[in-house]
Amino acid sequence: MREIDVAMIIYIIFMVVATFVSFKYGSSMIIKTGLFLPQTLIAGTINLALGVFAIIGWFFFAWGVNEFLFFGGLVLGIGLLVVGEAVLITTLFLKRKKWIQNYNESFN
């Protein structure tokens, strides 16, 4: 594999891991505090920040290599960021009732 292929794989894996880490934070904090909207906003912000860091890292890598690689990676990163945010928020909303119910049961 070439250097570019390895960098692209690391880039994609980092974006997926950022979404997973944000989901784990959101789920554990919703169960712990019972607050849905604030914890969802924080989880979304974590995902956004990690995605922006990945895109900035891609800028530093791809700037001197090739302009098509640069813009292709930018489009890929923005696409992964938008899809990751959508998946994160949708999953948190779908599991909201179960987690809040677990929070309420922890007091009883």
Side-chain angles (χ1 to χ4, degrees):
M1 271 206 263
R2 293 183 354 202
E3 176 182 291
I4 296 169
D5 297 333
V6 174
M8 186 70 75
I9 290 170
I10 291 171
Y11 185 48
I12 293 169
I13 289 173
F14 187 83
M15 296 293 269
V16 171
V17 168
T19 302
F20 182 72
V21 166
S22 300
F23 172 76
K24 291 303 281 182
Y25 170 81
S27 65
S28 64
M29 291 307 289
I30 290 169
I31 292 171
K32 191 174 186 177
T33 64
L35 301 172
F36 176 74
L37 188 61
Q39 299 304 335
T40 301
L41 290 174
I42 293 171
T45 304
I46 290 171
N47 191 29
L48 181 68
L50 291 174
V52 168
F53 288 147
I55 291 172
I56 290 171
W58 184 258
F59 283 162
F60 286 127
F61 170 74
W63 182 257
V65 177
N66 185 348
E67 64 270 3
F68 295 113
L69 182 67
F70 176 77
F71 288 114
L74 175 65
V75 170
L76 177 67
I78 291 172
L80 286 173
L81 187 60
V82 169
V83 168
E85 285 286 338
V87 167
L88 174 69
I89 291 172
T90 302
T91 308
L92 290 176
F93 268 107
L94 291 176
K95 296 188 177 248
R96 169 185 59 178
K97 287 183 182 179
K98 177 184 157 194
W99 291 332
I100 292 177
Q101 188 177 33
N102 288 346
Y103 170 75
N104 289 333
E105 288 174 357
S106 68
F107 281 117
N108 295 334

